[in-house]
Amino acid sequence: MSHIRRVVIEEIRGKRFKIDGSLGRENNEVELRRINVLTGCNGSFKTSILEALTASLLTLTSPSYAKSLAYVAATLRMDELWLYKLLRDGFKLMVDDITIKTISEPSTKAVIIAEDSYRKRSLSRLEVIRKTSTSWSSWYRYNRYNISINVEKIDYSINYDFIALSMPNLLTQRFVNSFIKLISSKSNLYLFLLDKFGKVFEDFEIYFYRFEQDEFNRRSIIFAVKNDGGAMKIPIQYLGSGYLGLALMTLAASKDIVIYDNVESRMHPRLMYRAAELMSDAKNVQWIITTQSSEMLEAILNNVDLNELLVIETSTKGLLRVYDGDEANRRVKKLDEDLRGSCL
């Protein structure tokens, strides 16, 4: 199990950041905890921070999972080209003792490099190459764009087992295939999921069933919904949107690190409390999430061990205010005001 101990957020897309608060150090270093919540107004760089952290970890995980991780993480921006765009715009972070930064390349290529911050030793290089194909209709020519991802990892002793996502607008088959590939690396996955879903979905009419092929021979994650005649099997795509979000969180908890944007999306407050209970119960998982919901923040503060909690309040000016769980609990009224529109 490998969690992130600390991060230094220097610059993302030309925006420089500054840490405020007793938990932030002069060099913008923040020591993360097991549950880390970014909260703040729209346009305050919450998603951008998750994007840059995700791109950084892509250089520090198994190269065989990079493409699937990048595709699932495309839900952060709902754009398959998100990684190429981010790297072209540029960022610089430090994750633990590793500096990750973008470097300038020709217009069809975007590159990140990771190096040991102290020994200045190269650890990994990730390239995203934009590819263009031309199609013709009877009236005009148009171009289609896609990307290829190549990871050259030099030091295989460093490995972060993570997943990054947000609630997808459309749960495509490619997303499902990529998601299954990522979580399938966990040993005893089926027993793990039965246990987790049994707790998270307790008292609901839904439970995890198994992985199987559907009638169209597509890989699927199957749930069972109780009804008067027993239970009906349904694929994950047909869950109600709130249940779907909670199910994706529970499946993601098979990884060491879960990065989740807008964690409360489409959830009723009752499901938000179940999500907070999941984060509290999954002791081996480090959560790095964002929320714009005062109800979700309240659910987290009421359910998790405050000693395991870090809250980072973002602002449109790039100022990041860092609070431990106890201080966030004392400041919850001010945080709630910010979430409801009194942004600074």
Side-chain angles (χ1 to χ4, degrees), residues 9 19 64 74 96 127 176 201 207 219 241 264 293 334 344:
I9 304 171
I19 303 293
S64 62
D96 293 329
E127 294 184 351
V176 173
F201 281 72
Y207 58 91
R219 300 176 72 193
S241 58
E264 77 286 351
S293 164
K334 173 63 168 61
L344 295 176

Side-chain angles (χ1 to χ4, degrees), residues 9 69 76 260 313:
I9 304 171
L69 283 165
L76 297 173
Y260 205 122
E313 185 183 16

Side-chain angles (χ1 to χ4, degrees), residues 18-267:
K18 182 179 179 181
I19 303 293
D20 183 32
S22 60
L23 297 180
R25 300 181 181 178
E26 290 184 0
N27 66 345
N28 276 10
E29 181 177 295
V30 178
E31 293 188 1
L32 297 187
R33 300 195 177 182
R34 195 178 68 78
I35 301 171
N36 306 275
V37 182
L38 281 75
T39 185
C41 296
N42 288 332
S44 59
F45 305 102
K46 298 184 299 298
T47 301
S48 292
I49 292 171
L50 294 194
E51 276 187 294
L53 184 57
T54 298
S56 299
L57 294 183
L58 282 173
T59 70
L60 304 172
T61 193
S62 171
S64 62
Y65 291 115
K67 292 180 182 179
S68 294
L69 283 165
Y71 186 80
V72 170
T75 53
L76 297 173
R77 287 291 180 192
M78 302 302 169
D79 182 8
E80 294 182 32
L81 303 179
W82 74 275
L83 185 58
Y84 178 83
K85 289 288 295 177
L86 173 66
L87 271 56
R88 296 297 299 177
D89 292 340
F91 72 88
K92 184 178 181 181
L93 296 186
M94 183 183 292
V95 176
D96 293 329
D97 297 325
I98 303 167
T99 298
I100 298 100
K101 59 185 178 181
T102 54
I103 60 175
S104 298
E105 288 284 345
S107 59
T108 59
K109 183 188 293 186
V111 177
I112 335 173
I113 58 172
E115 64 180 17
D116 188 305
S117 301
Y118 300 104
R119 300 177 184 176
K120 302 302 179 184
R121 179 172 59 92
S122 181
L123 302 174
S124 183
R125 174 186 173 96
L126 183 148
E127 294 184 351
V128 182
I129 302 171
R130 188 188 72 190
K131 296 183 176 181
T132 307
S133 59
T134 302
S135 299
W136 293 85
S137 74
S138 57
W139 296 101
Y140 60 89
R141 183 184 73 176
Y142 59 95
N143 294 328
R144 298 181 182 217
Y145 297 97
N146 57 39
I147 59 172
S148 65
I149 299 173
N150 303 307
V151 181
E152 179 185 347
K153 195 167 184 180
I154 299 168
D155 188 339
Y156 279 82
S157 66
I158 300 170
N159 187 62
Y160 292 88
D161 183 31
F162 81 102
I163 193 168
L165 71 153
S166 185
M167 177 72 171
N169 285 336
L170 176 65
L171 205 63
T172 65
Q173 188 58 41
R174 184 178 172 188
F175 178 94
V176 173
N177 291 342
S178 298
F179 201 95
I180 291 174
K181 177 180 178 179
L182 295 175
I183 65 175
S184 294
S185 61
K186 181 166 182 72
S187 60
N188 300 315
L189 176 65
Y190 182 71
L191 294 177
F192 170 85
L193 293 178
L194 285 178
D195 175 65
K196 278 288 181 281
F197 275 101
K199 295 175 182 177
V200 175
F201 281 72
E202 185 179 8
D203 301 326
F204 296 157
E205 299 298 307
I206 299 172
Y207 58 91
F208 171 72
Y209 185 61
R210 65 185 182 188
F211 301 98
E212 68 178 27
Q213 305 289 113
D214 69 8
E215 62 182 300
F216 303 105
N217 204 32
R218 301 176 304 179
R219 300 176 72 193
S220 189
I221 306 169
I222 303 298
F223 289 79
V225 179
K226 298 176 184 177
N227 57 31
D228 294 338
M232 179 177 66
K233 295 193 299 181
I234 61 170
I236 190 171
Q237 293 95 325
Y238 290 87
L239 291 178
S241 58
Y243 287 130
L244 172 59
L246 190 57
L248 289 174
M249 279 189 71
T250 308
L251 291 161
S254 59
K255 312 301 285 183
D256 291 345
I257 301 170
V258 177
I259 298 171
Y260 205 122
D261 195 25
N262 293 321
V263 71
E264 77 286 351
S265 179
R266 306 179 195 177
M267 288 187 189

